[in-house]
Amino acid sequence: MIQVKGLYKSIAGQEILRGVDLEVRTGETLVVIGRSGGGKSVLLKHLLGLMEPDAGEVWYDGTNLTALNEREMIPLRREMGMVFQNGALFDSMTVSENIAFPLVERECLLADEVDQRVARALEIVGLSGHGEKMPSSLSGGMKKRAALARAAIGRPRIMFYDEPTAGLDPILSDSISKLIARLSKELSMTAIVVTHDMASACQIADRIAMLHEGKIYALLTPAELQASTDPVLHDFLHGISKGEIL
Amino acid sequence: MVLGMVRSTGEVCFLFLDIVRTLFTRPLRWRQFLRQMYFVGLRSQTIILVTGGFSGAVFTAQTLFRFRELGMATATGPVVAVAMCRELGPVLCALMLAGRVGSSIAAELSTMRLTEQLDALRALAVPPVEYLLLPRFLAVVLSTPLLVALSMAIGIAASWIVAVPIMEVDGAYYISHMTQYMEPKDVGIGLIKACIFGLIIALVGIHKGLNAGQGAEGVGQATTNAAVHASLIVLISNFFFSFLLNAIFPA
Ligand SMILES: Nc1ncnc2c1ncn2[C@@H]1O[C@H](COP(=O)(O)OP(=O)(O)O)[C@@H](O)[C@H]1O
Ligand SMILES: [Mg+2]
């Protein structure tokens, strides 16, 4: 179980998280929705310990991540996989080397076995034949899928996805949603997914959390969200702008 | 500005401690290290050869023009050799390396940070200190003395070429005076300086890279600053080290 307690964070004088409280149950898929620039990526980075909060704590079962230093976080991070919003592939390595990276770094496998698992991972994310390319020659969607393969290849217990379907065509986006659902079911991963794609959200989510004005505004099931009459949720769900932007 | 300098110095010290601790507590990434050695050590040879060779040559020519009038042409040998070993070799080499290696480290690290590759590395449970910083640091600190030694040798060789075949100084006297007045200590001082300059170039490059601002402008600034600041620190500290080392190894 992941517990987030009263997380506060300001960057460059701007308050981004203003007391986020959240509990993620082991094995569930939690979708985080919220406006662009609302701090969803920042929240994910706090969950991995990549950013330090101004106040508040993040607990994994009995461990307080916030109190650990970089080196002490290593064992915890080995159980996590993160798909960054822009992929964050290592641009000095080929796609295959990127995907093999966690295996090469963390596990003592034979080269053959690594190659097999990388080939299988490429096939699953639909990138067979692109393994020898450099990340800079991939499209945005392909980068994201390669990043997904890299994050999941070590079979972590917890997966974090930052907008995994943004910028993909509807068909690919559906297949990525199915892949996320499958990873969660078959390998019983806990998944935290940030997305704007409401179709994908309702398809994969056990629960949906809405991050609004630096707090968790609502935490409910997809069915409850559909039925909700709350104005903030309703507007977000149906994409209604109140004219407050532009 | 003073406050900023104090803070940067503090940060660099922590960085240094972190790197040294990693060196002794974690296995070295040989692949990364050798790649960096290739880039820093081998690929810098050309510019070092050119720098050392031509500075030795021009220094010899200028010295000879004057010394010949005084009838002490063969004294040029030791003067050039001592200057190459103690000052010109290490300093010019360090300035070139600051421009080539320090700035490329800063550019690489700041781009990686900007594109979240550093975060990705941390998220994959690989500390950047171990994977990126230590191999670069070691490569620079080890290659600088080697490259400086190379530039000393080439500078002295170039000096001989200018003096003996071109300006017709007596070769036998030139060599014997050079070996008579140059001591191993001169080379030693140059190499000690080289190690310190290597340390400065590596740490400034890494520090600027990790603390770059946002966007392309941030990367550009980090890159220039890495080269400029390292060069300035090298020039200033060289002055003090010359006195210090002279006190330790008196003439
Ligand atoms: N490294 C950073 N430096 C400065 N501001 C940042 C940084 N990262 C995020 N922010 C700011 O934090 C806010 C939230 O960003 P983010 O978490 O990326 O939003 P999103 O919900 O779209 O993922 C934005 O206003 C952004 O400007
Ligand atoms: Mg985001």
Side-chain angles (χ1 to χ4, degrees):
Chain A
M1 189 164 71
I2 309 169
Q3 283 170 301
V4 181
K5 297 178 184 166
L7 217 53
Y8 283 83
K9 180 73 176 178
S10 306
I11 303 179
Q14 181 194 1
E15 283 188 311
I16 293 163
L17 302 179
R18 303 177 199 180
V20 173
D21 293 290
L22 187 62
E23 248 185 57
V24 188
R25 301 173 194 142
T26 306
E28 82 168 334
T29 301
L30 179 84
V31 168
V32 179
I33 58 175
R35 299 278 296 272
S36 274
K40 304 182 296 298
S41 300
V42 170
L43 176 61
L44 277 194
K45 284 189 183 166
H46 280 92
L47 295 182
L48 279 121
L50 298 176
M51 277 186 176
E52 259 181 58
D54 296 337
E57 290 167 354
V58 177
W59 287 77
Y60 283 84
D61 297 320
T63 322
N64 182 358
L65 182 78
T66 332
L68 302 182
N69 67 27
E70 194 73 19
R71 191 135 285 146
E72 294 163 337
M73 284 182 196
I74 291 178
L76 258 181
R77 286 200 182 131
R78 291 195 170 185
E79 319 221 300
M80 304 178 189
M82 163 93 171
V83 182
F84 285 84
Q85 194 162 358
N86 298 312
L89 297 173
F90 302 124
D91 53 18
S92 56
M93 303 180 194
T94 65
V95 172
S96 289
E97 285 168 348
N98 261 287
I99 296 175
F101 189 86
L103 297 181
V104 175
E105 284 300 320
R106 301 197 283 214
E107 296 171 36
C108 300
L109 295 178
L110 295 173
D112 275 355
E113 202 172 337
V114 171
D115 289 346
Q116 269 174 25
R117 279 177 71 176
V118 170
R120 172 114 184 81
L122 281 170
E123 192 185 313
I124 291 175
V125 296
L127 287 174
S128 299
H130 297 285
E132 294 314 308
K133 289 188 179 166
M134 296 308 279
S136 52
S137 57
L138 297 186
S139 76
M142 289 159 89
K143 280 184 194 160
K144 209 160 270 186
R145 284 180 281 150
L148 202 163
R150 180 179 70 182
I153 197 162
R155 305 201 177 135
R157 287 198 302 119
I158 308 165
M159 280 289 283
F160 301 90
Y161 304 87
D162 200 346
E163 307 198 12
T165 59
L168 300 186
D169 65 67
I171 299 182
L172 257 181
S173 136
D174 184 59
S175 73
I176 292 293
S177 306
K178 288 198 171 109
L179 179 62
I180 294 173
R182 213 179 96 199
L183 285 173
S184 307
K185 291 266 143 42
E186 285 177 11
L187 304 175
S188 54
M189 288 177 182
T190 308
I192 299 172
V193 188
V194 166
T195 188
H196 294 296
D197 179 349
M198 292 312 297
S200 153
C202 295
Q203 184 184 343
I204 58 180
D206 292 317
R207 291 188 301 161
I208 296 179
M210 166 101 180
L211 185 66
H212 185 67
E213 293 180 339
K215 289 200 172 97
I216 298 298
Y217 182 80
L219 183 59
L220 28 69
T221 63
E224 284 166 2
L225 179 66
Q226 297 287 355
S228 163
T229 53
D230 182 278
V232 173
L233 291 176
H234 181 268
D235 290 356
F236 190 87
L237 192 55
H238 299 282
I240 300 166
S241 122
K242 284 265 165 60
E244 72 263 46
I245 41 177
L246 291 181
Chain B
M1 195 183 118
V2 173
L3 210 65
M5 264 165 67
V6 170
R7 214 184 61 194
S8 299
T9 314
E11 284 170 0
V12 169
C13 289
F14 275 111
L15 192 65
F16 182 55
L17 286 181
D18 202 13
I19 292 174
V20 171
R21 198 169 48 215
T22 311
L23 175 63
F24 289 113
T25 55
R26 306 285 309 170
L28 182 63
R29 306 272 169 159
W30 281 99
R31 265 187 65 146
Q32 300 302 315
F33 172 63
L34 293 177
R35 262 173 74 158
Q36 292 303 321
M37 277 307 274
Y38 169 73
F39 172 74
V40 178
L42 285 174
R43 298 285 298 278
S44 301
Q45 280 179 359
T46 326
I47 58 164
I48 294 309
L49 287 177
V50 173
T51 313
F54 279 91
S55 51
V58 79
F59 191 43
T60 307
Q62 290 291 0
T63 318
L64 261 182
F65 292 143
R66 300 290 171 283
F67 276 21
R68 216 159 31 182
E69 292 168 15
L70 303 170
M72 356 189 318
T74 50
T76 310
V79 168
V80 172
V82 169
M84 260 337 272
C85 291
R86 287 189 172 224
E87 303 290 341
L88 288 180
V91 172
L92 291 178
C93 221
L95 295 183
M96 293 308 279
L97 288 180
R100 190 186 124 85
V101 175
S103 62
S104 94
I105 290 178
E108 212 176 347
L109 293 179
S110 56
T111 310
M112 287 187 81
R113 197 181 76 119
L114 197 68
T115 52
E116 295 185 317
Q117 291 177 59
L118 288 187
D119 280 343
L121 205 57
R122 294 167 68 202
L124 289 166
V126 178
V129 199
E130 199 177 311
Y131 191 80
L132 297 172
L133 308 192
L134 180 60
R136 280 166 176 72
F137 175 82
L138 274 189
V140 176
V141 171
L142 293 179
S143 356
T144 312
L146 295 178
L147 291 166
V148 166
L150 182 69
S151 96
M152 290 173 184
I154 217 69
I156 292 171
S159 151
W160 183 84
I161 291 174
V162 170
V164 181
I166 301 180
M167 299 183 71
E168 294 169 348
V169 176
D170 185 332
Y173 274 117
Y174 196 81
I175 301 275
S176 83
H177 278 177
M178 194 192 286
T179 44
Q180 193 180 337
Y181 291 106
M182 200 180 100
E183 299 171 62
K185 172 176 95 180
D186 296 321
V187 178
I189 287 179
L191 293 181
I192 293 175
K193 279 185 179 175
C195 295
I196 296 164
F197 295 161
L199 208 70
I200 293 171
I201 295 168
L203 288 177
V204 172
I206 291 173
H207 180 254
K208 294 289 170 201
L210 293 181
N211 294 288
Q214 294 294 313
E217 196 189 336
V219 173
Q221 249 168 25
T223 311
T224 339
N225 282 344
V228 173
H229 290 192
S231 301
L232 290 178
I233 299 175
V234 162
L235 286 172
I236 296 170
S237 64
N238 177 57
F239 176 76
F240 292 104
F241 278 119
S242 290
F243 277 95
L244 186 69
L245 290 171
N246 227 3
I248 300 175
F249 308 100

CSV table of all heavy atoms in Angstrom, one decimal, chain A residues 10-12 14-17 33-45 51 85 162-163 194 196 211, chain B residues 113 116 214, ligand 1:
chain,number,residue,atom,x,y,z
A,10,SER,N,6.3,23.6,-3.5
A,10,SER,CA,6.3,24.8,-4.3
A,10,SER,C,7.5,24.8,-5.2
A,10,SER,O,8.6,24.3,-4.7
A,10,SER,CB,6.4,26.1,-3.4
A,10,SER,OG,5.4,26.1,-2.5
A,11,ILE,N,7.4,25.1,-6.4
A,11,ILE,CA,8.6,25.3,-7.3
A,11,ILE,C,8.6,26.7,-7.8
A,11,ILE,O,7.6,27.2,-8.3
A,11,ILE,CB,8.5,24.3,-8.5
A,11,ILE,CG1,8.4,22.9,-8.0
A,11,ILE,CG2,9.7,24.5,-9.4
A,11,ILE,CD1,8.3,21.9,-9.2
A,12,ALA,N,9.7,27.3,-7.6
A,12,ALA,CA,10.0,28.7,-8.1
A,12,ALA,C,8.8,29.6,-7.6
A,12,ALA,O,8.3,30.4,-8.4
A,12,ALA,CB,10.1,28.8,-9.6
A,14,GLN,N,5.8,29.0,-6.9
A,14,GLN,CA,4.5,28.7,-7.3
A,14,GLN,C,4.1,27.4,-6.5
A,14,GLN,O,4.8,26.4,-6.5
A,14,GLN,CB,4.5,28.4,-8.8
A,14,GLN,CG,3.1,28.0,-9.4
A,14,GLN,CD,3.3,27.4,-10.7
A,14,GLN,OE1,4.4,27.3,-11.2
A,14,GLN,NE2,2.2,27.1,-11.3
A,15,GLU,N,2.9,27.5,-5.8
A,15,GLU,CA,2.5,26.4,-5.0
A,15,GLU,C,1.9,25.4,-5.9
A,15,GLU,O,0.9,25.7,-6.6
A,15,GLU,CB,1.4,26.8,-4.0
A,15,GLU,CG,1.9,27.5,-2.8
A,15,GLU,CD,0.8,27.7,-1.8
A,15,GLU,OE1,-0.2,28.2,-2.2
A,15,GLU,OE2,1.0,27.4,-0.6
A,16,ILE,N,2.4,24.2,-6.0
A,16,ILE,CA,1.9,23.2,-6.9
A,16,ILE,C,1.1,22.1,-6.2
A,16,ILE,O,0.0,21.8,-6.6
A,16,ILE,CB,3.1,22.6,-7.7
A,16,ILE,CG1,3.6,23.7,-8.6
A,16,ILE,CG2,2.6,21.5,-8.6
A,16,ILE,CD1,4.9,23.5,-9.2
A,17,LEU,N,1.7,21.5,-5.1
A,17,LEU,CA,0.9,20.6,-4.3
A,17,LEU,C,0.6,21.3,-3.0
A,17,LEU,O,1.5,21.8,-2.4
A,17,LEU,CB,1.7,19.3,-4.1
A,17,LEU,CG,2.2,18.6,-5.4
A,17,LEU,CD1,3.0,17.3,-5.0
A,17,LEU,CD2,1.0,18.2,-6.2
A,33,ILE,N,-6.5,12.0,-12.6
A,33,ILE,CA,-6.8,13.0,-13.7
A,33,ILE,C,-6.7,14.4,-13.1
A,33,ILE,O,-6.6,14.6,-11.9
A,33,ILE,CB,-8.2,12.8,-14.2
A,33,ILE,CG1,-9.3,12.9,-13.1
A,33,ILE,CG2,-8.4,11.4,-14.9
A,33,ILE,CD1,-10.7,12.8,-13.5
A,34,GLY,N,-6.7,15.4,-14.0
A,34,GLY,CA,-6.5,16.7,-13.5
A,34,GLY,C,-6.1,17.6,-14.7
A,34,GLY,O,-5.6,17.1,-15.7
A,35,ARG,N,-6.2,18.9,-14.5
A,35,ARG,CA,-5.9,19.8,-15.6
A,35,ARG,C,-4.4,19.8,-15.9
A,35,ARG,O,-3.6,19.5,-15.1
A,35,ARG,CB,-6.3,21.3,-15.1
A,35,ARG,CG,-7.7,21.4,-14.8
A,35,ARG,CD,-8.5,21.7,-16.1
A,35,ARG,NE,-8.0,22.9,-16.6
A,35,ARG,CZ,-8.5,24.1,-16.3
A,35,ARG,NH1,-9.5,24.2,-15.5
A,35,ARG,NH2,-8.1,25.2,-16.9
A,36,SER,N,-4.1,20.2,-17.2
A,36,SER,CA,-2.7,20.3,-17.6
A,36,SER,C,-2.0,21.3,-16.7
A,36,SER,O,-2.6,22.4,-16.4
A,36,SER,CB,-2.6,20.7,-19.0
A,36,SER,OG,-2.7,19.6,-19.8
A,37,GLY,N,-0.8,21.0,-16.3
A,37,GLY,CA,-0.1,21.9,-15.4
A,37,GLY,C,-0.6,21.9,-14.0
A,37,GLY,O,-0.2,22.8,-13.2
A,38,GLY,N,-1.4,20.9,-13.7
A,38,GLY,CA,-2.0,20.9,-12.3
A,38,GLY,C,-1.1,20.2,-11.3
A,38,GLY,O,-1.4,20.2,-10.1
A,39,GLY,N,0.0,19.7,-11.8
A,39,GLY,CA,1.0,19.1,-10.8
A,39,GLY,C,0.9,17.5,-10.8
A,39,GLY,O,1.4,16.9,-9.9
A,40,LYS,N,0.4,16.9,-11.8
A,40,LYS,CA,0.3,15.4,-11.8
A,40,LYS,C,1.7,14.8,-11.9
A,40,LYS,O,2.0,13.9,-11.2
A,40,LYS,CB,-0.7,15.0,-12.9
A,40,LYS,CG,-2.0,15.6,-12.8
A,40,LYS,CD,-2.9,15.0,-13.9
A,40,LYS,CE,-2.5,15.4,-15.3
A,40,LYS,NZ,-2.5,16.8,-15.7
A,41,SER,N,2.4,15.4,-12.9
A,41,SER,CA,3.8,14.8,-13.0
A,41,SER,C,4.6,15.0,-11.8
A,41,SER,O,5.4,14.2,-11.4
A,41,SER,CB,4.5,15.5,-14.2
A,41,SER,OG,3.7,15.2,-15.4
A,42,VAL,N,4.4,16.2,-11.2
A,42,VAL,CA,5.2,16.5,-10.0
A,42,VAL,C,4.8,15.5,-8.9
A,42,VAL,O,5.6,15.0,-8.1
A,42,VAL,CB,4.9,18.0,-9.5
A,42,VAL,CG1,5.4,18.3,-8.1
A,42,VAL,CG2,5.5,19.0,-10.5
A,43,LEU,N,3.5,15.2,-8.8
A,43,LEU,CA,3.1,14.2,-7.8
A,43,LEU,C,3.7,12.9,-8.0
A,43,LEU,O,4.2,12.3,-7.1
A,43,LEU,CB,1.5,14.1,-7.8
A,43,LEU,CG,0.9,13.1,-6.9
A,43,LEU,CD1,1.2,13.4,-5.4
A,43,LEU,CD2,-0.6,13.0,-7.1
A,44,LEU,N,3.7,12.4,-9.3
A,44,LEU,CA,4.4,11.1,-9.6
A,44,LEU,C,5.8,11.1,-9.1
A,44,LEU,O,6.3,10.2,-8.6
A,44,LEU,CB,4.3,10.8,-11.0
A,44,LEU,CG,3.0,10.2,-11.6
A,44,LEU,CD1,3.2,9.7,-13.0
A,44,LEU,CD2,2.5,9.1,-10.7
A,45,LYS,N,6.5,12.3,-9.4
A,45,LYS,CA,7.9,12.3,-9.1
A,45,LYS,C,8.2,12.2,-7.6
A,45,LYS,O,9.2,11.7,-7.1
A,45,LYS,CB,8.6,13.6,-9.6
A,45,LYS,CG,8.8,13.4,-11.1
A,45,LYS,CD,9.6,14.6,-11.7
A,45,LYS,CE,9.7,14.4,-13.2
A,45,LYS,NZ,10.2,15.6,-13.9
A,51,MET,N,11.6,13.9,-6.4
A,51,MET,CA,11.6,15.2,-5.9
A,51,MET,C,11.4,15.1,-4.4
A,51,MET,O,10.7,14.2,-3.9
A,51,MET,CB,10.4,16.0,-6.5
A,51,MET,CG,10.7,16.6,-7.9
A,51,MET,SD,9.2,17.6,-8.3
A,51,MET,CE,9.8,18.2,-9.9
A,85,GLN,N,6.6,11.2,-19.1
A,85,GLN,CA,5.7,11.8,-20.0
A,85,GLN,C,6.3,11.9,-21.4
A,85,GLN,O,5.6,11.6,-22.4
A,85,GLN,CB,5.4,13.2,-19.5
A,85,GLN,CG,4.2,13.8,-20.2
A,85,GLN,CD,3.6,15.0,-19.4
A,85,GLN,OE1,4.1,15.3,-18.3
A,85,GLN,NE2,2.6,15.6,-20.0
A,162,ASP,N,3.0,8.1,-16.8
A,162,ASP,CA,2.7,9.6,-17.0
A,162,ASP,C,2.1,9.8,-18.4
A,162,ASP,O,2.9,9.8,-19.3
A,162,ASP,CB,3.9,10.4,-16.7
A,162,ASP,CG,3.5,11.9,-16.4
A,162,ASP,OD1,2.3,12.2,-16.6
A,162,ASP,OD2,4.4,12.6,-15.9
A,163,GLU,N,0.8,9.9,-18.5
A,163,GLU,CA,0.2,10.1,-19.8
A,163,GLU,C,0.6,9.1,-20.8
A,163,GLU,O,1.2,9.5,-21.8
A,163,GLU,CB,0.3,11.5,-20.3
A,163,GLU,CG,-0.1,12.5,-19.2
A,163,GLU,CD,-0.4,13.9,-19.7
A,163,GLU,OE1,-0.5,14.0,-20.9
A,163,GLU,OE2,-0.6,14.8,-18.9
A,194,VAL,N,-1.4,8.5,-14.8
A,194,VAL,CA,-1.9,9.9,-15.0
A,194,VAL,C,-2.4,9.9,-16.4
A,194,VAL,O,-1.6,9.5,-17.4
A,194,VAL,CB,-0.7,10.8,-14.8
A,194,VAL,CG1,-1.1,12.2,-15.4
A,194,VAL,CG2,-0.4,11.0,-13.4
A,196,HIS,N,-5.3,12.0,-19.4
A,196,HIS,CA,-6.4,12.9,-19.8
A,196,HIS,C,-7.4,12.2,-20.6
A,196,HIS,O,-8.4,12.7,-21.0
A,196,HIS,CB,-5.9,14.0,-20.7
A,196,HIS,CG,-4.9,15.0,-20.0
A,196,HIS,ND1,-5.3,15.7,-18.9
A,196,HIS,CD2,-3.6,15.3,-20.2
A,196,HIS,CE1,-4.3,16.5,-18.5
A,196,HIS,NE2,-3.2,16.2,-19.3
A,211,LEU,N,-7.0,15.4,-9.3
A,211,LEU,CA,-6.1,16.4,-8.6
A,211,LEU,C,-6.6,17.8,-9.1
A,211,LEU,O,-6.5,18.1,-10.3
A,211,LEU,CB,-4.7,16.1,-9.0
A,211,LEU,CG,-3.6,17.0,-8.4
A,211,LEU,CD1,-3.5,16.7,-6.9
A,211,LEU,CD2,-2.2,16.7,-9.1
B,113,ARG,N,19.6,16.2,-17.9
B,113,ARG,CA,18.8,16.6,-16.8
B,113,ARG,C,17.5,17.2,-17.4
B,113,ARG,O,16.4,16.9,-17.0
B,113,ARG,CB,19.5,17.6,-15.9
B,113,ARG,CG,18.8,17.8,-14.6
B,113,ARG,CD,19.5,18.8,-13.8
B,113,ARG,NE,19.2,20.1,-14.3
B,113,ARG,CZ,18.6,21.1,-13.5
B,113,ARG,NH1,18.2,20.8,-12.3
B,113,ARG,NH2,18.3,22.2,-14.0
B,116,GLU,N,15.0,14.8,-18.7
B,116,GLU,CA,14.6,13.8,-17.6
B,116,GLU,C,15.3,12.5,-17.7
B,116,GLU,O,14.9,11.5,-17.0
B,116,GLU,CB,13.1,13.6,-17.6
B,116,GLU,CG,12.3,14.8,-17.3
B,116,GLU,CD,10.8,14.5,-17.2
B,116,GLU,OE1,10.3,13.7,-18.1
B,116,GLU,OE2,10.1,15.0,-16.3
B,214,GLN,N,16.9,26.2,-17.2
B,214,GLN,CA,16.0,25.5,-18.1
B,214,GLN,C,16.3,25.8,-19.6
B,214,GLN,O,16.8,26.8,-19.9
B,214,GLN,CB,14.6,25.9,-17.8
B,214,GLN,CG,14.1,25.4,-16.4
B,214,GLN,CD,14.0,23.9,-16.3
B,214,GLN,OE1,13.5,23.3,-17.1
B,214,GLN,NE2,14.6,23.4,-15.2
C,1,LIG,N1,11.3,21.6,-13.0
C,1,LIG,C1,10.4,22.5,-12.9
C,1,LIG,N2,10.7,23.8,-12.8
C,1,LIG,C2,9.8,24.8,-12.6
C,1,LIG,N3,8.5,24.6,-12.7
C,1,LIG,C3,8.1,23.3,-12.8
C,1,LIG,C4,9.0,22.2,-12.9
C,1,LIG,N4,8.3,21.1,-13.1
C,1,LIG,C5,7.0,21.5,-13.0
C,1,LIG,N5,6.8,22.8,-12.9
C,1,LIG,C6,5.6,23.5,-12.8
C,1,LIG,O1,4.7,22.8,-12.0
C,1,LIG,C7,3.4,22.8,-12.5
C,1,LIG,C8,2.9,21.4,-12.6
C,1,LIG,O2,3.6,20.8,-13.6
C,1,LIG,P1,3.2,19.3,-14.0
C,1,LIG,O3,3.3,18.4,-12.8
C,1,LIG,O4,4.2,18.9,-15.1
C,1,LIG,O5,1.8,19.3,-14.6
C,1,LIG,P2,0.9,18.2,-15.2
C,1,LIG,O6,-0.3,18.0,-14.3
C,1,LIG,O7,0.5,18.7,-16.6
C,1,LIG,O8,1.8,17.0,-15.3
C,1,LIG,C9,3.5,23.6,-13.8
C,1,LIG,O9,2.9,24.9,-13.6
C,1,LIG,C10,4.9,23.7,-14.1
C,1,LIG,O10,5.2,25.0,-14.6
